[in-house]
Amino acid sequence: MLLATASKEVSVKIWNVFSGEQVGTLRGHDGEEGCTCAVDAPTEDLSLLRDPGCEMQGHSKEVNCVSWSSDGSSLATCSNDLSTLVWDVASGTSRYRIQGHDGMDNCFCNGVPGTEVSSSCEVEGHADYVTAVAFSPDSLSLASCSKDMSIRVWDATTGRLKQPPLVGHARAVTSVAWSPDGKSVASSSRDNTVRVW
C-alpha cells in the first residue's frame, strides 16, 4: 500500500506503508517544512512509480492536499500557487495543470506565469490558494476548493470545468469530499458551515 503526503516544502512524497520507505517524490521548487494532508493509495503495486526516488516537477509553492484516483494511476495535487496538477503516477509526468489567476501581478494564462490575461485567455481556475482536491469514486470527476470561497468540479480526463463554480460559503473553503455514489459533493469552510451540493 502506498501513502502520499503533501508538504509545505513544495513536494509530495510517496511512501510504502509497510516498509516505511520513501519510494518517490513529486517536487516543486521552494518552500518550508510541514505536512498538511495525506491520503492512501488504493493499490499495493509499487511498479506504478518509474523508479524509487523519482522526482516529478510541479508546484512552485506549498502543496496543500493530494488525492489518488480509484485505480491508483493518477494523483491530483493542489497548491498555494493557485494550481491543481493531475499526475500520471507510472510515468511521473503531469497530465494537465489547472492554473488560477489572482487578478494581481501573479496572472497566468494557459499555465504560463506572467502571461497577460486578455479576452482570448480563458481562466477557469481558482482566484486564490487551492486548499483541497478529491477524485470522484469513479475517478471521472475532480473537485477542488479554495480560499476564493468556491468549489469547482472538473473533468478528470481533460481538466476542463464541468459546470459553473459552486459558491455560497462566506469564507475560505477548506475541504471537499464526494458522496459514495459520486452524485454529491460536500464542502467545509472557515465560515463554520458544511454544505452538500
Side-chain angles (χ1 to χ4, degrees):
M1 180 179 294
L2 300 177
L3 175 75
T5 60
S7 169
K8 290 182 180 180
E9 65 182 23
V10 196
S11 68
V12 174
K13 294 181 180 179
I14 312 295
W15 305 86
N16 177 319
V17 173
F18 300 110
S19 70
E21 179 182 349
Q22 182 180 336
V23 295
T25 302
L26 290 73
R27 183 171 301 286
H29 304 288
D30 301 308
E32 304 169 10
E33 297 177 15
C35 179
T36 56
C37 183
V39 183
D40 63 304
T43 180
E44 294 179 20
D45 185 4
L46 294 177
S47 68
L48 286 173
L49 297 169
R50 333 178 264 247
D51 59 82
C54 71
E55 291 192 7
M56 301 178 237
Q57 297 299 310
H59 297 289
S60 61
K61 293 188 179 177
E62 64 191 66
V63 180
N64 293 320
C65 194
V66 296
S67 178
W68 292 97
S69 61
S70 59
D71 67 0
S73 67
S74 297
L75 187 68
T77 61
C78 65
S79 170
N80 286 356
D81 65 9
L82 313 186
S83 74
T84 299
L85 289 170
V86 174
W87 302 87
D88 178 287
V89 177
S91 70
T93 59
S94 173
R95 290 190 174 148
Y96 58 84
R97 175 187 208 90
I98 301 166
Q99 187 64 59
H101 181 296
D102 66 6
M104 311 260 313
D105 293 332
N106 300 319
C107 76
F108 301 86
C109 181
N110 301 320
V112 180
T115 307
E116 289 296 322
V117 175
S118 66
S119 59
S120 64
C121 179
E122 183 177 329
V123 179
E124 294 182 334
H126 290 285
D128 208 332
Y129 298 167
V130 186
T131 54
V133 289
F135 275 103
S136 60
D138 62 8
S139 295
L140 296 177
S141 296
L142 181 71
S144 63
C145 62
S146 170
K147 284 183 69 177
D148 69 6
M149 301 180 285
S150 74
I151 299 95
R152 295 174 193 242
V153 178
W154 310 92
D155 181 307
T157 304
T158 65
R160 300 299 296 177
L161 197 59
K162 290 181 80 169
Q163 63 187 56
L166 304 170
V167 293
H169 286 291
R171 294 190 64 201
V173 184
T174 55
S175 67
V176 64
W178 288 88
S179 62
D181 65 6
K183 293 181 180 178
S184 300
V185 174
S187 59
S188 65
S189 169
R190 289 195 175 142
D191 66 8
N192 300 322
T193 65
V194 172
R195 291 179 178 254
V196 179
W197 308 87

